[in-house]
Amino acid sequence: ENRERLSVCSKLCYAVGGAPYQITGCALGFFLQISLLAVAPLDPFYASIILFVGRAWDAITDPMVGFFISKTSWTRVGRLMPWIIFSTPFAVTAYILIWFVPDISRGQVMWYLIFYCLFQTLVTCFHVPYSALTMFISREQSERDSATAYRMTVEVLGSVLGTAIQGQIVGKVDTPCVESPLFISKPNSSVAMEELNMTRDTGSLTDTRNAYMIAAGVIGGLYILCAIILSLGVREKRESSQLRSAEPASFFQGLKLVMNHGAYIKLIAGFLFTSLAFMLLEGNFALFCTYTLGFRNEFQNILLAIMLSATLTIPLWQWFLTRFGKKTAVYMGISSAIPFLILVAVLDSNLIVTYIVAVAAGISVAAAFLLPWSMLPDVIDDFKLQHPDSHGHEAIFFSFYVFFTKFASGVSLGISTLSLDFAGYQTRGCSQPSEVNTTLKMLVSAVPVGLILLGLLLFKLYPIDEEKRKKNKKALQDLREESNSSSDSDNTELASIV
């Protein structure tokens, strides 16, 4: 047992590897939609296509990468680590180009679509093997849970960094907006004044675009730094996740086994809808703060308050799930967001109340970050007990969990952006019609609340409670000891013959 203990340094180096995905994902989630609509600027219809296709492609790449990882041979540094190392420089390049506005009259949509999809592919080559690495750092479930807690803390901190870097750099520049056409066409407005306004508008928009590029460069540098720390500080252990006597199965055999595992399907069903709720909130919150609440110059600070609150409460939820069980933590943690999501939509615009709601919502966001990744290893352990002769499917478990979540989020984000288009969203408008504000309230309040309630209802079917988790842990430990004992006996007999 002492040999399986992970040092604090190893856990920290492992945890740092989760930051790049969250830093870039948070920056894209909160700011890409508003960047496409206000900085590029694109029509909401084309923005919805980019967001949907990018997310859908991101979802498809997860099982694809999982398949190729399962076919990858072990190297001196492991089977997963080479994917992480070699994908990093290309991912950073693609990420920076997402925020670059090309000086072309046609082809902007294809530019964003190509580099958004390319980045999603490359970051998947980083994140899927990194997620599966959880099962290869230790055989002790308690050590994996502890490392997961470190990882979730750093990932939420990465979300804070992504929000802070992108928000504070971009927030220092006033993004220009255009008044209503009715205002512009008033008789006292001359052609010369309109040309002067357009000149100032273009100059200010250039400053905004430069700010987005600076933020992208800083985030890209952090991505590379975290990848270096992970590759130097973590050792992938081949024997950590499999019994020594097990024989590997093919990818499609493993996929069939995984998809027939009831606990896995029920876990996906429960977290699919709760994850969608927070993704919808993430994708539309900047627009909601800017137009519905009227906090154009404060939305980046409100987002930062949410992420800081989530970071500080991760240790609280880690203690709670070890004290009361993971299933109880799901109900308490995720449902706590409901009253605050309702409150922010019902009350009149008030900056102090909005900050209070942001801090309270961050507590629930922390639970939504921590619990899915903390519970997946329990499902994998349950699978191993039912299929002791089949191993090497960790990447399938993690990649398909991400696949279903991302694909559904792509559909929801595409539909939400189209909803804004149907409501009459004015590209780069200083204000929006009342129909747009009503739609934004639905997208950040009513729809997420409904998705959370549905997810919690489905989660009641999840069979692994705290009692079963402990039984699985003991049974798996006994099985490993039996396997190791049998292997040692065979080696002794062979030595005697020699």
Side-chain angles (χ1 to χ4, degrees), residues 5-16 137 147 150 230 233-235:
R5 294 289 182 187
L6 294 173
S7 66
V8 173
C9 181
S10 295
K11 293 178 183 178
L12 285 174
C13 290
Y14 165 75
V16 165
I137 56 177
Y150 276 82
L230 173 66
V234 176
R235 185 171 67 90

Side-chain angles (χ1 to χ4, degrees), residues 274-322:
T274 56
S275 299
L276 279 179
F278 289 101
M279 288 178 182
L280 269 179
L281 180 65
E282 177 188 66
N284 295 282
F285 196 73
L287 291 172
F288 177 73
C289 289
T290 300
Y291 295 113
T292 306
L293 298 181
F295 302 139
R296 177 179 293 273
N297 298 322
E298 287 288 335
F299 78 87
Q300 68 270 13
N301 297 323
I302 297 171
L303 297 179
L304 186 59
I306 295 175
M307 293 297 111
L308 281 173
S309 173
T311 303
L312 296 175
T313 50
I314 281 282
L316 169 66
W317 287 118
Q318 175 64 19
W319 169 84
F320 189 93
L321 68 86
T322 55

